[in-house]
Amino acid sequence: MEFLTGLFSPSAWATVWTYRGTFLLGLRNTLVTAIFGLLLALVLGIIFGLMATSGKKPLAVIARIYVEFIQNTPVLLQMCFLYYTLAFSGLGADITVVGVITLGVYTGAYMAEVVRAGIQSIPRGQFEAAQSQGFGYVQYMYYIILPQSIKIILPPMVNQAVNLFKNTSCLYIVGGADLISLTYSFVTGATTGGAYAPAYLVCGALFFIVCFPLSTLATAWETSLKKRDAGSAAALNKAEEVS
């Protein structure tokens, strides 16, 4: 009942507004962690995606082990493991570093699958044609295969970026300074406690402001690509009928 009462309490909303810097700081910390985590995820995704499609069995096996292990264990468990490993090793567990590494490695496994699927969607004849022209693996990937697979890869990559941003909430469990953690500290604080509903609504709104445009972009992008492919296929069929 206290939660619902706070939702319509002018004083609760006034408290949230007074301490708005807390929420903006949490958003900033979340964005920093997400951006650097995303950069790491992209690097790992490209590396392991290329390994999976390299045609070299040892590399493909390593990539598959990484993807399966990371995808089939909770990101929260991975974060706790890294945090306590660093803490008890004497290296010191910087929360931001823990967040970047954990979220980067976790999302990287999904990025690797996106890259693998994108590359494998290119007709085999493209690979054979490139090899017949004397292109090496790096050359035909860089000049021929990857440019064609970008349009397939990017929409799901944007979705993974959204998931990474939302997964920053896991930092709460190791005492981070992300948006969720600072919101919880706010609602349980000695001077700010009690404004539960306004605080969590503001927190949710900030997540929505970041995630919704990205999700909408990914959906629109994917729909546009499907329409373009369907149009190209229809034009090709028409040309074949005429000929």
Side-chain angles (χ1 to χ4, degrees):
M1 192 56 134
E2 184 180 353
F3 181 87
L4 293 177
T5 302
L7 180 61
F8 303 103
S9 169
S11 62
W13 283 101
T15 302
V16 170
W17 175 253
T18 300
Y19 290 90
R20 60 189 179 278
T22 298
F23 297 92
L24 293 176
L25 175 62
L27 177 61
R28 184 187 71 83
N29 292 340
T30 295
L31 286 171
V32 169
T33 302
I35 289 170
F36 283 101
L38 180 60
L39 292 175
L40 177 59
L42 288 172
V43 171
L44 292 175
I46 292 171
I47 291 174
F48 284 97
L50 290 174
M51 288 172 62
T53 57
S54 65
K56 307 292 184 182
K57 189 171 182 179
L59 296 180
V61 169
I62 293 172
R64 180 48 47 189
I65 291 173
Y66 163 67
V67 168
E68 293 296 342
F69 180 79
I70 295 299
Q71 287 189 355
N72 290 289
T73 54
V75 63
L76 190 58
L77 174 63
Q78 297 169 23
M79 187 170 290
C80 289
F81 178 81
L82 178 60
Y83 175 80
Y84 288 109
T85 297
L86 293 175
F88 288 113
S89 67
L91 297 175
D94 183 278
I95 302 300
T96 301
V97 173
V98 170
V100 168
I101 294 176
T102 304
L103 296 175
V105 170
Y106 182 77
T107 308
Y110 290 89
M111 292 288 194
E113 285 294 88
V114 170
V115 173
R116 179 190 63 77
I119 291 174
Q120 291 181 341
S121 68
I122 305 302
R124 192 64 195 170
Q126 298 279 352
F127 294 84
E128 294 171 352
Q131 290 172 339
S132 68
Q133 295 298 315
F135 283 89
Y137 176 78
V138 175
Q139 289 177 313
Y140 71 68
M141 276 293 177
Y142 183 80
Y143 291 108
I144 299 175
I145 305 303
L146 289 179
Q148 295 183 71
S149 62
I150 286 294
K151 67 177 184 178
I152 301 169
I153 290 172
L154 284 180
M157 275 192 168
V158 175
N159 283 326
Q160 289 304 323
V162 173
N163 289 333
L164 186 152
F165 183 77
K166 291 187 290 186
N167 282 335
T168 57
S169 58
C170 294
L171 284 168
Y172 161 74
I173 201 68
V174 292
D178 60 291
L179 182 54
I180 290 290
S181 300
L182 291 185
T183 300
Y184 178 77
S185 297
F186 175 86
V187 300
T188 57
T191 58
T192 57
Y196 301 103
Y200 283 121
L201 282 174
V202 169
C203 178
L206 291 174
F207 269 100
F208 182 83
I209 288 170
V210 175
C211 294
F212 180 72
L214 291 175
S215 297
T216 303
L217 172 64
T219 301
W221 201 344
E222 191 169 3
T223 302
S224 174
L225 291 174
K226 287 180 179 179
K227 288 182 178 179
R228 188 184 305 171
D229 290 342
S232 299
L236 181 61
N237 291 334
K238 187 175 180 179
E240 290 177 349
E241 291 174 1
V242 171
S243 62

CSV table of all heavy atoms in Angstrom, one decimal, residues 7-65:
chain,number,residue,atom,x,y,z
A,7,LEU,N,3.2,6.6,-5.2
A,7,LEU,CA,3.1,6.9,-6.6
A,7,LEU,C,2.3,8.2,-6.8
A,7,LEU,O,2.6,8.9,-7.8
A,7,LEU,CB,2.3,5.8,-7.3
A,7,LEU,CG,2.0,5.9,-8.8
A,7,LEU,CD1,3.3,5.9,-9.6
A,7,LEU,CD2,1.2,4.7,-9.3
A,8,PHE,N,1.4,8.6,-5.9
A,8,PHE,CA,0.6,9.8,-6.0
A,8,PHE,C,1.0,10.8,-5.0
A,8,PHE,O,0.3,11.8,-4.8
A,8,PHE,CB,-0.9,9.5,-5.9
A,8,PHE,CG,-1.3,8.5,-6.9
A,8,PHE,CD1,-1.6,7.1,-6.5
A,8,PHE,CD2,-1.6,8.8,-8.2
A,8,PHE,CE1,-2.0,6.2,-7.5
A,8,PHE,CE2,-2.0,7.9,-9.1
A,8,PHE,CZ,-2.2,6.6,-8.8
A,9,SER,N,2.2,10.7,-4.4
A,9,SER,CA,2.7,11.6,-3.4
A,9,SER,C,3.6,12.7,-4.0
A,9,SER,O,4.6,12.4,-4.6
A,9,SER,CB,3.5,10.8,-2.3
A,9,SER,OG,4.2,11.7,-1.5
A,10,PRO,N,3.1,13.9,-4.0
A,10,PRO,CA,3.9,15.0,-4.5
A,10,PRO,C,5.3,15.1,-3.8
A,10,PRO,O,6.3,15.4,-4.5
A,10,PRO,CB,3.1,16.3,-4.2
A,10,PRO,CG,1.7,15.8,-4.1
A,10,PRO,CD,1.8,14.4,-3.5
A,11,SER,N,5.3,14.8,-2.5
A,11,SER,CA,6.6,14.9,-1.8
A,11,SER,C,7.6,13.9,-2.3
A,11,SER,O,8.8,14.1,-2.3
A,11,SER,CB,6.4,14.8,-0.3
A,11,SER,OG,5.8,13.5,0.0
A,12,ALA,N,7.1,12.7,-2.6
A,12,ALA,CA,7.9,11.6,-3.1
A,12,ALA,C,8.5,12.0,-4.4
A,12,ALA,O,9.7,11.8,-4.7
A,12,ALA,CB,7.2,10.3,-3.2
A,13,TRP,N,7.7,12.5,-5.3
A,13,TRP,CA,8.2,13.0,-6.6
A,13,TRP,C,9.2,14.1,-6.5
A,13,TRP,O,10.2,14.2,-7.2
A,13,TRP,CB,7.0,13.4,-7.5
A,13,TRP,CG,6.3,12.2,-8.1
A,13,TRP,CD1,5.1,11.7,-7.7
A,13,TRP,CD2,6.7,11.4,-9.2
A,13,TRP,NE1,4.8,10.6,-8.4
A,13,TRP,CE2,5.7,10.4,-9.4
A,13,TRP,CE3,7.8,11.4,-10.0
A,13,TRP,CZ2,5.8,9.4,-10.3
A,13,TRP,CZ3,7.9,10.4,-11.0
A,13,TRP,CH2,6.9,9.4,-11.2
A,14,ALA,N,8.9,15.0,-5.5
A,14,ALA,CA,9.8,16.1,-5.3
A,14,ALA,C,11.2,15.6,-4.8
A,14,ALA,O,12.2,16.2,-5.2
A,14,ALA,CB,9.2,17.1,-4.2
A,15,THR,N,11.2,14.6,-4.0
A,15,THR,CA,12.4,14.0,-3.5
A,15,THR,C,13.2,13.4,-4.6
A,15,THR,O,14.4,13.6,-4.7
A,15,THR,CB,12.2,12.9,-2.4
A,15,THR,OG1,11.4,13.5,-1.3
A,15,THR,CG2,13.5,12.3,-1.9
A,16,VAL,N,12.5,12.7,-5.5
A,16,VAL,CA,13.2,12.2,-6.7
A,16,VAL,C,13.8,13.3,-7.6
A,16,VAL,O,15.0,13.2,-8.0
A,16,VAL,CB,12.2,11.3,-7.6
A,16,VAL,CG1,12.9,11.0,-8.9
A,16,VAL,CG2,11.8,10.1,-6.8
A,17,TRP,N,13.1,14.4,-7.7
A,17,TRP,CA,13.6,15.5,-8.5
A,17,TRP,C,14.8,16.2,-7.9
A,17,TRP,O,15.7,16.5,-8.5
A,17,TRP,CB,12.4,16.5,-8.7
A,17,TRP,CG,12.9,17.8,-9.5
A,17,TRP,CD1,13.1,19.0,-8.9
A,17,TRP,CD2,13.3,17.9,-10.8
A,17,TRP,NE1,13.6,19.9,-9.9
A,17,TRP,CE2,13.7,19.2,-11.1
A,17,TRP,CE3,13.3,17.0,-11.9
A,17,TRP,CZ2,14.1,19.7,-12.3
A,17,TRP,CZ3,13.7,17.4,-13.1
A,17,TRP,CH2,14.1,18.7,-13.4
A,18,THR,N,14.7,16.3,-6.6
A,18,THR,CA,15.8,16.9,-5.8
A,18,THR,C,17.1,16.1,-6.0
A,18,THR,O,18.2,16.7,-6.2
A,18,THR,CB,15.5,17.0,-4.3
A,18,THR,OG1,14.3,17.8,-4.2
A,18,THR,CG2,16.6,17.7,-3.5
A,19,TYR,N,17.0,14.8,-6.0
A,19,TYR,CA,18.1,13.9,-6.1
A,19,TYR,C,18.2,13.3,-7.5
A,19,TYR,O,18.8,12.2,-7.7
A,19,TYR,CB,18.0,12.8,-5.1
A,19,TYR,CG,18.2,13.2,-3.7
A,19,TYR,CD1,17.2,13.6,-2.9
A,19,TYR,CD2,19.5,13.3,-3.1
A,19,TYR,CE1,17.3,14.1,-1.6
A,19,TYR,CE2,19.7,13.7,-1.8
A,19,TYR,CZ,18.6,14.1,-1.1
A,19,TYR,OH,18.8,14.5,0.2
A,20,ARG,N,17.8,14.1,-8.5
A,20,ARG,CA,17.8,13.6,-9.9
A,20,ARG,C,19.3,13.3,-10.4
A,20,ARG,O,19.5,12.5,-11.2
A,20,ARG,CB,17.2,14.6,-10.8
A,20,ARG,CG,17.9,16.0,-10.8
A,20,ARG,CD,17.0,17.0,-11.6
A,20,ARG,NE,17.6,18.4,-11.6
A,20,ARG,CZ,17.5,19.2,-10.6
A,20,ARG,NH1,16.8,18.9,-9.5
A,20,ARG,NH2,18.0,20.4,-10.7
A,21,GLY,N,20.2,14.0,-9.8
A,21,GLY,CA,21.6,13.7,-10.1
A,21,GLY,C,22.0,12.3,-9.8
A,21,GLY,O,22.9,11.8,-10.5
A,22,THR,N,21.4,11.7,-8.8
A,22,THR,CA,21.7,10.3,-8.5
A,22,THR,C,21.3,9.4,-9.7
A,22,THR,O,22.1,8.5,-10.1
A,22,THR,CB,20.9,9.8,-7.3
A,22,THR,OG1,21.4,10.6,-6.2
A,22,THR,CG2,21.2,8.4,-7.0
A,23,PHE,N,20.2,9.6,-10.3
A,23,PHE,CA,19.7,8.8,-11.4
A,23,PHE,C,20.5,9.1,-12.6
A,23,PHE,O,20.8,8.2,-13.4
A,23,PHE,CB,18.2,9.1,-11.6
A,23,PHE,CG,17.3,8.7,-10.5
A,23,PHE,CD1,17.0,9.6,-9.5
A,23,PHE,CD2,16.8,7.4,-10.4
A,23,PHE,CE1,16.2,9.3,-8.4
A,23,PHE,CE2,16.0,7.1,-9.3
A,23,PHE,CZ,15.7,8.0,-8.3
A,24,LEU,N,20.9,10.3,-12.9
A,24,LEU,CA,21.7,10.7,-14.0
A,24,LEU,C,23.1,10.1,-13.9
A,24,LEU,O,23.7,9.6,-14.9
A,24,LEU,CB,21.8,12.2,-14.2
A,24,LEU,CG,20.4,12.9,-14.5
A,24,LEU,CD1,20.6,14.4,-14.6
A,24,LEU,CD2,19.9,12.4,-15.9
A,25,LEU,N,23.6,10.0,-12.7
A,25,LEU,CA,24.9,9.4,-12.5
A,25,LEU,C,24.8,7.9,-12.7
A,25,LEU,O,25.7,7.3,-13.4
A,25,LEU,CB,25.4,9.6,-11.0
A,25,LEU,CG,26.7,8.9,-10.6
A,25,LEU,CD1,27.9,9.4,-11.4
A,25,LEU,CD2,27.0,9.1,-9.1
A,26,GLY,N,23.8,7.3,-12.3
A,26,GLY,CA,23.6,5.9,-12.5
A,26,GLY,C,23.5,5.6,-14.0
A,26,GLY,O,24.0,4.6,-14.5
A,27,LEU,N,22.7,6.5,-14.7
A,27,LEU,CA,22.6,6.3,-16.2
A,27,LEU,C,23.9,6.4,-16.9
A,27,LEU,O,24.3,5.7,-17.8
A,27,LEU,CB,21.6,7.3,-16.7
A,27,LEU,CG,21.4,7.3,-18.2
A,27,LEU,CD1,20.9,6.0,-18.7
A,27,LEU,CD2,20.5,8.4,-18.6
A,28,ARG,N,24.7,7.4,-16.4
A,28,ARG,CA,26.0,7.6,-17.0
A,28,ARG,C,26.9,6.4,-16.8
A,28,ARG,O,27.6,5.9,-17.8
A,28,ARG,CB,26.7,8.9,-16.4
A,28,ARG,CG,28.1,9.2,-17.1
A,28,ARG,CD,28.8,10.3,-16.3
A,28,ARG,NE,29.2,9.9,-15.0
A,28,ARG,CZ,30.4,9.3,-14.8
A,28,ARG,NH1,31.2,9.0,-15.9
A,28,ARG,NH2,30.8,8.9,-13.6
A,29,ASN,N,27.0,5.9,-15.6
A,29,ASN,CA,27.8,4.7,-15.3
A,29,ASN,C,27.3,3.5,-16.1
A,29,ASN,O,28.1,2.7,-16.6
A,29,ASN,CB,27.7,4.4,-13.8
A,29,ASN,CG,28.4,5.5,-13.0
A,29,ASN,OD1,29.2,6.3,-13.5
A,29,ASN,ND2,28.1,5.6,-11.7
A,30,THR,N,26.0,3.4,-16.2
A,30,THR,CA,25.5,2.3,-17.0
A,30,THR,C,25.9,2.4,-18.5
A,30,THR,O,26.2,1.4,-19.1
A,30,THR,CB,23.9,2.2,-16.9
A,30,THR,OG1,23.6,2.0,-15.5
A,30,THR,CG2,23.3,1.2,-17.7
A,31,LEU,N,25.8,3.6,-19.0
A,31,LEU,CA,26.1,3.8,-20.4
A,31,LEU,C,27.6,3.5,-20.6
A,31,LEU,O,28.0,2.9,-21.7
A,31,LEU,CB,25.8,5.2,-20.8
A,31,LEU,CG,24.3,5.5,-21.1
A,31,LEU,CD1,24.1,7.0,-21.3
A,31,LEU,CD2,23.8,4.7,-22.3
A,32,VAL,N,28.5,4.0,-19.7
A,32,VAL,CA,29.9,3.7,-19.9
A,32,VAL,C,30.2,2.2,-19.9
A,32,VAL,O,31.0,1.7,-20.7
A,32,VAL,CB,30.7,4.4,-18.7
A,32,VAL,CG1,32.1,4.0,-18.7
A,32,VAL,CG2,30.6,6.0,-18.9
A,33,THR,N,29.6,1.5,-18.9
A,33,THR,CA,29.8,0.1,-18.8
A,33,THR,C,29.3,-0.6,-20.1
A,33,THR,O,30.0,-1.5,-20.6
A,33,THR,CB,29.1,-0.5,-17.6
A,33,THR,OG1,29.6,0.2,-16.4
A,33,THR,CG2,29.4,-2.0,-17.5
A,34,ALA,N,28.1,-0.2,-20.5
A,34,ALA,CA,27.5,-0.8,-21.7
A,34,ALA,C,28.4,-0.5,-23.0
A,34,ALA,O,28.6,-1.4,-23.8
A,34,ALA,CB,26.1,-0.3,-21.9
A,35,ILE,N,28.8,0.7,-23.1
A,35,ILE,CA,29.6,1.0,-24.4
A,35,ILE,C,30.9,0.2,-24.4
A,35,ILE,O,31.2,-0.4,-25.5
A,35,ILE,CB,29.9,2.5,-24.4
A,35,ILE,CG1,28.6,3.3,-24.7
A,35,ILE,CG2,30.9,2.9,-25.5
A,35,ILE,CD1,28.7,4.8,-24.5
A,36,PHE,N,31.7,0.2,-23.3
A,36,PHE,CA,32.9,-0.5,-23.4
A,36,PHE,C,32.7,-2.0,-23.4
A,36,PHE,O,33.4,-2.8,-24.1
A,36,PHE,CB,33.8,-0.2,-22.2
A,36,PHE,CG,34.5,1.2,-22.3
A,36,PHE,CD1,33.9,2.3,-21.6
A,36,PHE,CD2,35.6,1.3,-23.1
A,36,PHE,CE1,34.5,3.5,-21.8
A,36,PHE,CE2,36.2,2.5,-23.2
A,36,PHE,CZ,35.7,3.7,-22.6
A,37,GLY,N,31.6,-2.5,-22.8
A,37,GLY,CA,31.3,-3.9,-22.9
A,37,GLY,C,30.9,-4.3,-24.3
A,37,GLY,O,31.2,-5.4,-24.8
A,38,LEU,N,30.2,-3.4,-25.0
A,38,LEU,CA,29.8,-3.6,-26.3
A,38,LEU,C,31.0,-3.7,-27.3
A,38,LEU,O,31.0,-4.5,-28.2
A,38,LEU,CB,28.8,-2.5,-26.8
A,38,LEU,CG,28.3,-2.7,-28.2
A,38,LEU,CD1,27.5,-4.0,-28.4
A,38,LEU,CD2,27.4,-1.5,-28.6
A,39,LEU,N,31.9,-2.8,-27.1
A,39,LEU,CA,33.2,-2.9,-27.9
A,39,LEU,C,33.9,-4.2,-27.7
A,39,LEU,O,34.3,-4.8,-28.7
A,39,LEU,CB,34.1,-1.7,-27.5
A,39,LEU,CG,33.6,-0.3,-27.8
A,39,LEU,CD1,34.6,0.8,-27.3
A,39,LEU,CD2,33.4,-0.1,-29.3
A,40,LEU,N,34.0,-4.7,-26.5
A,40,LEU,CA,34.6,-6.0,-26.2
A,40,LEU,C,33.8,-7.1,-26.9
A,40,LEU,O,34.4,-8.0,-27.5
A,40,LEU,CB,34.7,-6.2,-24.7
A,40,LEU,CG,35.3,-7.6,-24.3
A,40,LEU,CD1,36.7,-7.8,-24.9
A,40,LEU,CD2,35.3,-7.7,-22.8
A,41,ALA,N,32.5,-7.0,-26.8
A,41,ALA,CA,31.6,-8.0,-27.4
A,41,ALA,C,31.8,-8.1,-28.9
A,41,ALA,O,31.8,-9.1,-29.5
A,41,ALA,CB,30.1,-7.7,-27.0
A,42,LEU,N,31.9,-6.9,-29.5
A,42,LEU,CA,32.1,-6.9,-31.0
A,42,LEU,C,33.4,-7.5,-31.4
A,42,LEU,O,33.4,-8.3,-32.4
A,42,LEU,CB,32.0,-5.4,-31.4
A,42,LEU,CG,30.6,-4.7,-31.4
A,42,LEU,CD1,30.8,-3.2,-31.7
A,42,LEU,CD2,29.7,-5.4,-32.4
A,43,VAL,N,34.4,-7.2,-30.6
A,43,VAL,CA,35.7,-7.8,-31.0
A,43,VAL,C,35.7,-9.3,-30.8
A,43,VAL,O,36.1,-10.1,-31.7
A,43,VAL,CB,36.8,-7.2,-30.1
A,43,VAL,CG1,38.1,-8.0,-30.2
A,43,VAL,CG2,37.1,-5.7,-30.4
A,44,LEU,N,35.1,-9.8,-29.7
A,44,LEU,CA,35.0,-11.2,-29.5
A,44,LEU,C,34.1,-11.9,-30.5
A,44,LEU,O,34.4,-13.0,-31.0
A,44,LEU,CB,34.5,-11.5,-28.0
A,44,LEU,CG,35.5,-11.1,-26.9
A,44,LEU,CD1,34.9,-11.3,-25.6
A,44,LEU,CD2,36.8,-11.9,-27.0
A,45,GLY,N,33.0,-11.2,-30.8
A,45,GLY,CA,32.0,-11.8,-31.7
A,45,GLY,C,32.6,-12.0,-33.1
A,45,GLY,O,32.4,-13.0,-33.8
A,46,ILE,N,33.4,-11.0,-33.6
A,46,ILE,CA,34.0,-11.1,-34.9
A,46,ILE,C,35.1,-12.2,-34.9
A,46,ILE,O,35.1,-13.0,-35.8
A,46,ILE,CB,34.6,-9.7,-35.3
A,46,ILE,CG1,33.5,-8.7,-35.5
A,46,ILE,CG2,35.5,-9.9,-36.5
A,46,ILE,CD1,34.0,-7.3,-35.7
A,47,ILE,N,35.9,-12.2,-33.8
A,47,ILE,CA,37.0,-13.2,-33.8
A,47,ILE,C,36.4,-14.6,-33.8
A,47,ILE,O,36.8,-15.5,-34.6
A,47,ILE,CB,37.9,-13.0,-32.5
A,47,ILE,CG1,38.7,-11.7,-32.7
A,47,ILE,CG2,38.8,-14.2,-32.3
A,47,ILE,CD1,39.4,-11.3,-31.5
A,48,PHE,N,35.5,-14.9,-32.9
A,48,PHE,CA,35.0,-16.2,-32.7
A,48,PHE,C,34.0,-16.6,-33.9
A,48,PHE,O,33.9,-17.7,-34.2
A,48,PHE,CB,34.3,-16.4,-31.4
A,48,PHE,CG,35.3,-16.6,-30.2
A,48,PHE,CD1,35.6,-15.5,-29.4
A,48,PHE,CD2,35.9,-17.8,-30.0
A,48,PHE,CE1,36.5,-15.7,-28.4
A,48,PHE,CE2,36.8,-18.0,-29.0
A,48,PHE,CZ,37.1,-16.9,-28.2
A,49,GLY,N,33.3,-15.6,-34.4
A,49,GLY,CA,32.5,-15.8,-35.6
A,49,GLY,C,33.3,-16.2,-36.8
A,49,GLY,O,33.0,-17.2,-37.5
A,50,LEU,N,34.5,-15.6,-37.0
A,50,LEU,CA,35.4,-16.0,-38.1
A,50,LEU,C,36.0,-17.3,-37.8
A,50,LEU,O,36.2,-18.1,-38.8
A,50,LEU,CB,36.5,-14.9,-38.2
A,50,LEU,CG,36.0,-13.5,-38.8
A,50,LEU,CD1,37.1,-12.5,-38.7
A,50,LEU,CD2,35.4,-13.7,-40.2
A,51,MET,N,36.3,-17.6,-36.5
A,51,MET,CA,36.9,-18.9,-36.2
A,51,MET,C,35.9,-20.0,-36.5
A,51,MET,O,36.3,-21.1,-37.1
A,51,MET,CB,37.3,-18.9,-34.7
A,51,MET,CG,38.5,-18.1,-34.4
A,51,MET,SD,38.8,-18.0,-32.6
A,51,MET,CE,39.0,-19.7,-32.1
A,52,ALA,N,34.6,-19.8,-36.3
A,52,ALA,CA,33.6,-20.8,-36.5
A,52,ALA,C,33.4,-21.1,-38.0
A,52,ALA,O,32.9,-22.1,-38.4
A,52,ALA,CB,32.3,-20.3,-35.9
A,53,THR,N,33.7,-20.1,-38.8
A,53,THR,CA,33.5,-20.2,-40.3
A,53,THR,C,34.8,-20.4,-41.1
A,53,THR,O,34.8,-20.2,-42.3
A,53,THR,CB,32.7,-19.0,-40.8
A,53,THR,OG1,33.4,-17.8,-40.5
A,53,THR,CG2,31.3,-19.0,-40.2
A,54,SER,N,35.9,-20.6,-40.3
A,54,SER,CA,37.2,-20.6,-41.0
A,54,SER,C,37.5,-21.9,-41.8
A,54,SER,O,38.4,-21.9,-42.6
A,54,SER,CB,38.3,-20.4,-39.9
A,54,SER,OG,38.3,-21.5,-39.0
A,55,GLY,N,36.7,-22.9,-41.5
A,55,GLY,CA,37.0,-24.2,-42.1
A,55,GLY,C,38.0,-25.0,-41.4
A,55,GLY,O,38.3,-26.1,-41.8
A,56,LYS,N,38.6,-24.4,-40.4
A,56,LYS,CA,39.6,-25.1,-39.6
A,56,LYS,C,39.0,-25.7,-38.4
A,56,LYS,O,38.4,-25.0,-37.5
A,56,LYS,CB,40.7,-24.2,-39.1
A,56,LYS,CG,41.4,-23.4,-40.2
A,56,LYS,CD,42.2,-24.2,-41.2
A,56,LYS,CE,42.9,-23.4,-42.2
A,56,LYS,NZ,43.7,-24.2,-43.2
A,57,LYS,N,39.0,-27.1,-38.3
A,57,LYS,CA,38.2,-27.7,-37.2
A,57,LYS,C,38.6,-27.3,-35.8
A,57,LYS,O,37.8,-27.1,-35.0
A,57,LYS,CB,38.3,-29.3,-37.4
A,57,LYS,CG,37.4,-30.0,-36.4
A,57,LYS,CD,37.3,-31.5,-36.8
A,57,LYS,CE,36.3,-32.2,-35.8
A,57,LYS,NZ,36.3,-33.7,-36.1
A,58,PRO,N,39.9,-27.2,-35.5
A,58,PRO,CA,40.3,-26.8,-34.1
A,58,PRO,C,39.8,-25.5,-33.8
A,58,PRO,O,39.3,-25.3,-32.6
A,58,PRO,CB,41.9,-26.8,-34.2
A,58,PRO,CG,42.2,-27.8,-35.3
A,58,PRO,CD,41.1,-27.6,-36.3
A,59,LEU,N,39.8,-24.5,-34.7
A,59,LEU,CA,39.3,-23.2,-34.4
A,59,LEU,C,37.8,-23.2,-34.3
A,59,LEU,O,37.2,-22.5,-33.4
A,59,LEU,CB,39.7,-22.2,-35.6
A,59,LEU,CG,41.2,-21.9,-35.8
A,59,LEU,CD1,41.4,-21.0,-37.0
A,59,LEU,CD2,41.8,-21.4,-34.5
A,60,ALA,N,37.1,-24.0,-35.1
A,60,ALA,CA,35.7,-24.1,-35.0
A,60,ALA,C,35.2,-24.7,-33.7
A,60,ALA,O,34.3,-24.3,-33.0
A,60,ALA,CB,35.1,-24.9,-36.1
A,61,VAL,N,36.0,-25.7,-33.2
A,61,VAL,CA,35.7,-26.4,-31.9
A,61,VAL,C,35.9,-25.4,-30.8
A,61,VAL,O,35.1,-25.3,-29.8
A,61,VAL,CB,36.6,-27.6,-31.7
A,61,VAL,CG1,36.5,-28.1,-30.3
A,61,VAL,CG2,36.2,-28.7,-32.7
A,62,ILE,N,37.0,-24.6,-30.8
A,62,ILE,CA,37.2,-23.6,-29.7
A,62,ILE,C,36.1,-22.6,-29.7
A,62,ILE,O,35.6,-22.2,-28.6
A,62,ILE,CB,38.6,-22.9,-30.0
A,62,ILE,CG1,39.7,-23.9,-29.8
A,62,ILE,CG2,38.7,-21.7,-29.0
A,62,ILE,CD1,41.1,-23.3,-30.1
A,63,ALA,N,35.7,-22.1,-30.9
A,63,ALA,CA,34.6,-21.2,-31.0
A,63,ALA,C,33.3,-21.8,-30.4
A,63,ALA,O,32.5,-21.1,-29.7
A,63,ALA,CB,34.4,-20.7,-32.4
A,64,ARG,N,33.0,-23.0,-30.7
A,64,ARG,CA,31.8,-23.7,-30.3
A,64,ARG,C,31.8,-23.9,-28.8
A,64,ARG,O,30.8,-23.7,-28.1
A,64,ARG,CB,31.6,-25.0,-31.0
A,64,ARG,CG,30.4,-25.8,-30.6
A,64,ARG,CD,29.1,-25.1,-30.7
A,64,ARG,NE,28.9,-24.2,-31.8
A,64,ARG,CZ,28.0,-23.3,-32.0
A,64,ARG,NH1,27.1,-23.1,-31.0
A,64,ARG,NH2,27.9,-22.6,-33.1
A,65,ILE,N,32.9,-24.2,-28.2
A,65,ILE,CA,33.0,-24.4,-26.8
A,65,ILE,C,32.7,-23.1,-26.1
A,65,ILE,O,32.0,-23.0,-25.1
A,65,ILE,CB,34.4,-24.9,-26.4
A,65,ILE,CG1,34.6,-26.4,-26.8
A,65,ILE,CG2,34.6,-24.8,-24.8
A,65,ILE,CD1,36.0,-26.9,-26.6
